[in-house]
Amino acid sequence: MSLRTHSLYEVLVSAFGPDVWKMIIPAIGDTLYMVFWAAVFTLIIGICLGFILTITADDGLLPLPLPHRVLGAVINGLRSLPEIIMIILMLPIARVIVGKSYGTNACIIALVASCVPMYARLVQGALAELSKGKIEAAKAMGSGIWRIIFSVMLPESVPTLIHSFTVALVSIISMTALAGSFGAGGLGDIAVRYGFNRFQHDVLIATVTALVLIVQAVQFIGDLLAHMILRKRHML
């Protein structure tokens, strides 16, 4: 429904009507599918890279200056690319991996490539805030690198890692909307194809509402989990 021929009130009524949401609900499913798998890979790869950056730093558990600088330079290079450029660069790679350069599965590859570098740096920042005293105490007790990682560094940084992952998750959601203009499907595709190209402002308002609700839910759950872990830790 266009604002050119209808009042704002009529557009708002239509935006929350059943006809529009019959189109929006399947798109929400596609968006959540992309967000879920992109989040899983971003979490795993980002945490691994963040720990590697921390451990191989000059003051880390296993200082390796050259690998640390090379990995840091690669991550910084990927972070410097705008999201739209990253999507374009990942299209040929997606075609090789999933057989096509459009659709939800192809979009997941671009989402991961774009969000992993950011989350890796957030993980590194979270680990940098840890108390050096606890790590030194663990080393003095004869604990090895892996024991320090899983017994000291990871447990102590969980609340901050959750907050950081929430930030990364919100970025993934916003990027799915951008990827919609490249045939990724989901809410972004509906917003571009109907809301923008066809001037159906009721559809555009509905997609924006759905995205805002998803982001709010993610932020609420992330803050709640971090708060619960901190409260449980203070009770021990």
Side-chain angles (χ1 to χ4, degrees), residues 1 10 30 43 46 64 93 105 113 129 166 177 218-219 225 227:
M1 183 178 291
E10 290 175 323
D30 290 339
L43 178 65
L64 295 171
I93 298 176
N105 291 327
E129 298 176 0
T166 303
V218 167
Q219 189 68 56
L225 287 175
H227 178 72

Side-chain angles (χ1 to χ4, degrees), residues 1 4 6 14 16 36 49 65 87 99 102 119-120 131 138 152-153 155-157 166 169 171-172 191 198 213 215 222:
M1 183 178 291
R4 295 174 180 176
H6 297 83
S14 178
F16 296 99
F36 174 79
L49 292 179
I87 293 174
Y102 60 91
Y119 186 54
S131 172
V152 179
M153 297 177 70
E156 290 293 325
S157 61
T166 303
L169 201 52
S171 297
I172 292 174
R198 302 184 186 181
L213 291 176
V215 169

Side-chain angles (χ1 to χ4, degrees), residues 1-12 14 201-202:
M1 183 178 291
S2 173
L3 285 173
R4 295 174 180 176
T5 56
H6 297 83
S7 68
L8 177 59
Y9 174 77
E10 290 175 323
V11 171
L12 290 175
S14 178
H201 293 90
D202 51 346

Side-chain angles (χ1 to χ4, degrees), residues 86-189:
M86 181 64 75
I87 293 174
I88 295 172
L89 291 176
M90 289 298 108
L91 292 180
I93 298 176
R95 187 181 296 111
V96 172
I97 296 176
V98 301
K100 56 184 180 180
S101 58
Y102 60 91
T104 54
N105 291 327
C107 175
I108 291 170
I109 297 173
L111 294 176
V112 173
S114 181
C115 294
V116 160
M118 176 192 67
Y119 186 54
R121 285 300 188 186
L122 291 175
V123 172
Q124 184 185 17
L127 296 175
E129 298 176 0
L130 295 179
S131 172
K132 300 296 183 182
K134 292 184 178 181
I135 298 176
E136 293 299 327
K139 291 170 64 175
M141 295 174 61
S143 299
I145 293 177
W146 292 107
R147 185 175 181 83
I148 293 175
I149 290 173
F150 288 103
S151 300
V152 179
M153 297 177 70
L154 187 58
E156 290 293 325
S157 61
V158 165
T160 308
L161 290 178
I162 291 176
H163 279 302
S164 300
F165 183 63
T166 303
V167 173
L169 201 52
V170 171
S171 297
I172 292 174
I173 295 170
S174 66
M175 193 172 173
T176 61
L178 176 63
S181 59
F182 291 86
L187 290 170
D189 178 54

